[in-house]
């Protein structure tokens, strides 16, 4: 399991400083064994701890800090917007220039059928919004997701999760959820005239970077068109250049009816969205209105950060260099102990012999001041998702450290 791969036992170790024990005592925890890095500051490719140690970040907060930590353009945008106004009204009521210009800029990068952006506060909320929208548009209630997918952690989004070890304590979940096998065309027969929406990641992140096959994606699209089910691409992890295109679906030229985004969108600030045609999105506005509402969706400071992020990505060569950087990184880490490497751009899963070896590897990586993470649903792999700004030198440094760790396991 994901958390069993963490070997840091902050509270159980003999010398626990006050900050760590207060962290355990007062900050809600998600596991018994948090990573426990005490962050002092973060800049570019590095996170610095309170002892002054610097860690090369090969994880980017799980595909969030794609432009590196505290990118100057993002900081500037946050400063400029926060000096104008912060929150003024619940989402959707006031016209805020920053929301309008970002939605327009984002739409310009997408097919014209994806022209309406509904702002939310996280990836999970984007999933929730799309679950509701697909039901409103189709008048149906069944939803389909893939086995080993991850679309979020609220009760609705979690209903789309097949991994019962994570979900069974929270039952009952939403009724009418069916699971299909990723990359198995035969399982598409589960999509019927009763299906409201089909959720899918084009590269399954938490399953250890499983890349969709073109024939499966084409058959999925055809099946959705045939049955009238909405096709929903979860681009929360794959978005904003991570796979070598601005959005992963642009590799395959197959369009969703709804696209979910979050994570790297805000350049380190909390924001997400679901994007569809205006025709579909308008279902939320009437009979009944207020189809999805929130207080902080599209917070102007977060949207300003998102705008700076997108503009920087579009103006720079960060996305066009993703493949070249991924190839170099894969070459640099090549080692006899590695069983398989799966990747799409800089979304990389590396298989070792077994889960014990992954545990040992991660422990040694932390000692070597490398930030590398695990996968929720794949215990024999480790995850590399560095910021897209990683340089050739940093790739070589990471490669040298990783191969040295593997030599000594
Ligand atoms: C593919 C995918 N969908 C949804 C989510 C949920 O996003 P958030 O954690 O912002 O709620 C994640 C988060 O890891 C994700 O990777």
């Amino acid at each position: 399991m994901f958390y069993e791969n963490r070997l840091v036992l902050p509270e159980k170790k003999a010398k626990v400083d006050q900050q760590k024990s207060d962290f355990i005592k007062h900050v809600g925890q998600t596991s018994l064994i948090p990573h426990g890095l005490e962050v002092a500051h973060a800049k570019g490719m590095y996170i610095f701890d309170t002892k002054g140690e610097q860690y090369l970040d090969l994880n980017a907060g799980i595909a969030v800090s794609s432009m590196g930590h505290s990118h100057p353009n993002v900081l500037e945008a946050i400063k400029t917007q926060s000096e104008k106004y912060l929150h003024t009204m619940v989402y959707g009521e006031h016209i805020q220039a920053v929301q309008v210009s970002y939605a327009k800029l984002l739409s310009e990068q997408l097919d014209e059928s994806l022209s309406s952006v509904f702002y939310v506060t996280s990836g999970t909320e984007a999933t929730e919004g799309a679950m509701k929208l697909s039901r409103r548009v189709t008048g149906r209630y069944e939803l389909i997701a893939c086995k080993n997918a991850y679309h979020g952690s609220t009760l609705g989004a979690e209903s789309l999760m097949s991994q019962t070890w994570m979900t069974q304590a929270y039952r009952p979940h939403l009724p009418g959820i069916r699971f299909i096998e990723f990359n198995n065309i035969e399982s598409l027969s589960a999509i019927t005239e009763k299906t409201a929406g089909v959720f899918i990641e084009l590269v399954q992140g938490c399953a250890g970077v499983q890349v969709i096959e073109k024939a499966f994606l084409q058959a999925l699209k055809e099946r959705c068109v045939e049955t009238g089910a909405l096709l929903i691409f979860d681009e929360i992890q794959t978005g904003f250049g991570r796979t070598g295109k601005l959005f992963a679906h642009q590799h395959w030229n197959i369009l969703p009816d709804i696209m979910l985004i979050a994570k790297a969108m805000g350049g380190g600030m909390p924001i997400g969205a679901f994007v569809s045609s205006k025709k579909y999105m308008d279902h939320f506005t009437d009979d009944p209105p207020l189809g999805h509402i929130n207080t902080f969706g599209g917070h102007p400071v977060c949207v300003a950060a998102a705008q700076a992020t997108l503009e920087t990505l579009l103006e720079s060569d960060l996305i066009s260099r993703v493949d070249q950087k991924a190839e170099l990184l894969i070459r640099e880490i090549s080692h006899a102990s590695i069983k398989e490497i799966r990747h799409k751009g800089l979304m990389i899963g590396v298989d070792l012999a077994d889960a014990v070896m992954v545990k040992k590897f991660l422990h040694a990586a932390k000692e070597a001041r490398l930030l590398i993470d695990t996968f929720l649903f794949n215990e024999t792999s480790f995850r590399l998702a560095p910021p897209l700004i990683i340089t050739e030198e940093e790739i070589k440094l990471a490669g040298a450290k990783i191969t040295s760790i593997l030599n000594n396991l």
Side-chain angles (χ1 to χ4, degrees):
M1 303 295 179
F2 150 81
Y3 61 84
E4 286 170 358
N5 280 332
R6 310 281 177 95
L7 287 186
V8 188
L9 305 170
E11 204 171 33
K12 290 182 184 148
K13 281 205 167 151
K15 279 197 171 179
V16 179
D17 65 24
Q18 191 60 41
Q19 183 77 341
K20 271 190 181 147
S21 64
D22 284 351
F23 166 70
I24 299 291
K25 194 168 167 193
H26 297 296
V27 179
Q29 298 293 311
T30 57
S31 83
L32 294 174
I33 41 177
H35 191 282
L37 178 74
E38 243 180 285
V39 179
H41 60 105
K43 186 83 197 140
M45 283 298 301
Y46 288 93
I47 299 182
F48 298 82
D49 75 7
T50 48
K51 295 188 193 93
E53 296 286 353
Q54 64 175 58
Y55 291 78
L56 183 61
D57 189 358
L58 301 178
N59 181 36
I62 312 197
V64 170
S65 307
S66 285
M67 300 208 309
H69 295 277
S70 303
H71 192 286
N73 297 0
V74 175
L75 296 189
E76 183 60 33
I78 290 172
K79 185 167 177 287
T80 306
Q81 179 56 45
S82 56
E83 283 168 357
K84 285 187 199 156
Y85 55 90
L86 302 177
H87 181 261
T88 62
M89 182 52 180
V90 295
Y91 173 61
E93 298 296 331
H94 286 179
I95 300 173
Q96 300 185 345
V98 67
Q99 285 185 353
V100 178
S101 69
Y102 181 78
K104 196 158 171 259
L105 178 65
L106 181 65
S107 307
E108 284 163 6
Q109 315 312 316
L110 297 166
D111 184 82
E112 59 188 18
S113 62
L114 296 168
S115 60
S116 183
V117 178
F118 197 106
Y119 291 108
V120 292
T121 50
S122 69
T124 301
E125 195 192 348
T127 300
E128 294 285 341
M131 290 171 91
K132 292 168 70 181
L133 188 61
S134 64
R135 285 183 165 187
R136 278 298 293 277
V137 170
T138 61
R140 309 168 181 179
Y141 77 90
E142 278 192 10
L143 296 167
I144 303 250
C146 284
K147 288 188 182 157
N148 295 330
Y150 181 77
H151 299 293
S153 188
T154 52
L155 211 44
E158 193 179 87
S159 302
L160 300 174
M161 204 191 292
S162 67
Q163 294 273 347
T164 50
W165 67 269
M166 268 190 83
T167 62
Q168 63 194 359
Y170 308 103
R171 282 180 175 168
H173 288 107
L174 283 186
I177 310 284
R178 303 177 73 184
F179 293 101
I180 58 174
E181 301 271 347
F182 192 68
N183 280 338
N184 179 337
I185 293 180
E186 277 171 26
S187 77
L188 296 177
S189 58
I191 303 167
T192 68
E193 277 75 17
K194 289 185 178 164
T195 310
V198 181
F199 285 77
I200 192 153
E201 299 160 272
L202 299 176
V203 183
Q204 283 195 320
C206 294
V209 184
Q210 311 292 340
V211 182
I212 202 157
E213 287 165 11
K214 186 163 190 187
F216 175 73
L217 184 54
Q218 276 168 340
L220 170 63
K221 176 76 183 177
E222 279 163 27
R223 186 76 190 149
C224 285
V225 171
E226 215 172 87
T227 56
L230 299 197
L231 182 55
I232 300 151
F233 288 169
D234 179 340
E235 293 249 23
I236 289 166
Q237 217 175 117
T238 52
F240 299 97
R242 169 72 35 207
T243 69
K245 298 264 187 203
L246 186 59
F247 294 103
H249 72 267
Q250 293 165 338
H251 287 287
W252 290 277
N253 289 323
I254 290 186
L255 291 170
D257 296 296
I258 307 176
M259 179 175 78
L260 317 181
I261 49 176
K263 282 198 177 273
M265 177 179 178
M269 295 293 278
I271 185 166
F274 51 100
V275 185
S276 76
S277 65
K278 174 155 172 55
K279 186 172 149 221
Y280 286 166
M281 201 65 88
D282 278 351
H283 281 78
F284 274 163
T285 61
D286 193 25
D287 193 26
L290 307 178
H292 187 74
I293 49 177
N294 60 27
T295 298
F296 287 122
H299 189 287
V301 175
C302 300
V303 184
Q307 173 108 13
T309 301
L310 183 55
E311 281 171 0
T312 307
L313 282 173
L314 295 174
E315 284 158 14
S316 68
D317 61 358
L318 282 173
I319 299 180
S320 62
R321 295 191 58 209
V322 161
D323 281 336
Q324 179 202 337
K325 289 181 181 184
E327 275 161 32
L328 181 62
L329 182 53
I330 287 166
R331 216 168 40 241
E332 291 293 314
I333 62 171
S334 98
H335 192 277
S337 304
I338 294 177
K339 300 283 165 219
E340 188 187 23
I341 300 181
R342 294 170 301 278
H343 85 110
K344 193 77 183 165
L346 282 167
M347 193 169 169
I348 304 172
V350 183
D351 267 16
L352 298 181
D354 53 40
V356 175
M357 198 165 173
V358 171
K359 273 187 202 183
K360 287 184 183 159
F361 173 81
L362 290 171
H363 183 60
K366 195 178 176 199
E367 297 288 302
R369 309 288 181 251
L370 293 179
L371 292 178
I372 297 179
D373 211 344
T374 48
F375 294 105
L376 263 180
F377 309 139
N378 189 331
E379 58 186 5
T380 55
S381 307
F382 66 84
R383 175 202 296 267
L384 296 174
L388 312 186
I389 59 162
I390 192 168
T391 62
E392 202 172 299
E393 292 69 43
E394 286 154 348
I395 290 174
K396 287 188 172 157
L397 174 68
K401 286 191 177 197
I402 289 172
T403 47
S404 152
I405 294 168
L406 291 172
N407 280 337
N408 292 304
L409 281 188

